[in-house]
Amino acid sequence: MGLPQAITEYTIEDIDALPDGQRAELIDGQMYMMAALSRTHQQVCLALLRKIADYIDEKGGSCEVDMAPFAVFLKADNKTYVEPDISVICDKSKLNDKGCNGAPDWIIEIVSPASRQMDYYRKLFQYHMAGVREYWIVDEQKNCVMVYNFENEDIKDYSFSDIVKAGIYDDFEIDFSKINIE
């Protein structure tokens, strides 16, 4: 009798089997454990979420904004599962009680030391290939916001003193100088 094979490819069932409180993401069958978020990370995330949600509410918009932990199943398989910090979904048919099936329109990731490589490389590629329209990487350590507008094949780099326009909306922008980071 041979030795059991080590699991080399994980599925969403493995994510579901994690102990309560333990979080991970799954990209092409590879599991990436997630570290606890810092207070600053959560403050930035909440400030951005509030600005986006307020804008959608004021405009009577149909898009929904969600904050991690919120499941996004980027592909129609059981080997890719991510929890973006902020997801904006305008096609409500993608939503169910488990999360979002398919690409959100706009994703924002707030970089932490443990997520740097994931946010700048793996997720950037995954989000682009899945059809996300716009992806922001908010990096407090570098004092920058990278904006990838995949629809227009445009990349812009901003600082935390800039006003950043959202590409999926004609008249929405965020003044990062007014985001309180302690």
Side-chain angles (χ1 to χ4, degrees):
M1 179 187 229
L3 294 173
Q5 294 290 318
I7 296 176
T8 56
E9 192 168 88
Y10 294 94
T11 66
I12 290 168
E13 289 76 27
D14 296 307
I15 295 287
D16 291 341
L18 290 173
D20 284 344
Q22 190 170 8
R23 294 175 48 216
E25 293 180 307
L26 190 64
I27 296 178
D28 295 328
Q30 295 299 305
M31 190 180 303
Y32 300 91
M33 302 311 291
M34 298 173 73
L37 302 176
S38 72
R39 182 173 150 265
T40 302
H41 183 111
Q42 291 175 320
Q43 286 177 327
V44 171
C45 190
L46 182 58
L48 294 173
L49 180 95
R50 289 175 64 194
K51 289 185 180 301
I52 296 165
D54 287 350
Y55 170 82
I56 293 169
D57 288 347
E58 287 169 13
K59 295 291 183 175
S62 61
C63 299
E64 177 174 309
V65 60
D66 292 286
M67 183 171 76
F70 175 76
V72 174
F73 305 92
L74 283 175
K75 300 177 182 178
D77 65 15
N78 68 344
K79 295 179 181 138
T80 301
Y81 163 96
V82 292
E83 291 183 2
D85 289 311
I86 297 174
S87 302
V88 178
I89 302 102
C90 299
D91 179 355
K92 299 270 180 129
S93 71
K94 292 181 179 181
L95 297 170
N96 63 26
D97 281 344
K98 290 189 173 197
C100 178
N101 294 296
D105 294 88
W106 180 15
I107 288 177
I108 299 175
E109 294 284 7
I110 294 115
V111 176
S112 62
S115 73
R116 183 168 300 285
Q117 191 167 10
M118 285 288 287
D119 295 338
Y120 277 100
Y121 301 103
R122 286 186 186 94
K123 287 184 176 181
L124 172 65
F125 176 76
Q126 293 293 322
Y127 294 159
H128 185 237
M129 297 308 295
V132 171
R133 294 167 55 196
E134 186 167 353
Y135 175 42
W136 290 15
I137 301 174
V138 178
D139 192 330
E140 177 201 354
Q141 275 189 323
K142 291 184 176 182
N143 191 34
C144 76
V145 180
M146 295 292 302
V147 175
Y148 296 86
N149 185 321
F150 296 130
E151 284 186 318
N152 299 330
E153 297 181 15
D154 187 34
I155 303 168
K156 290 188 178 162
D157 185 9
Y158 298 91
S159 79
F160 275 25
S161 60
D162 291 329
I163 296 172
V164 182
K165 185 184 177 322
I168 70 165
Y169 296 113
D170 292 331
D171 61 346
F172 178 61
E173 56 193 25
I174 296 175
D175 184 347
F176 271 80
S177 70
K178 294 182 179 173
I179 302 289
N180 292 330
I181 301 173
E182 295 177 16

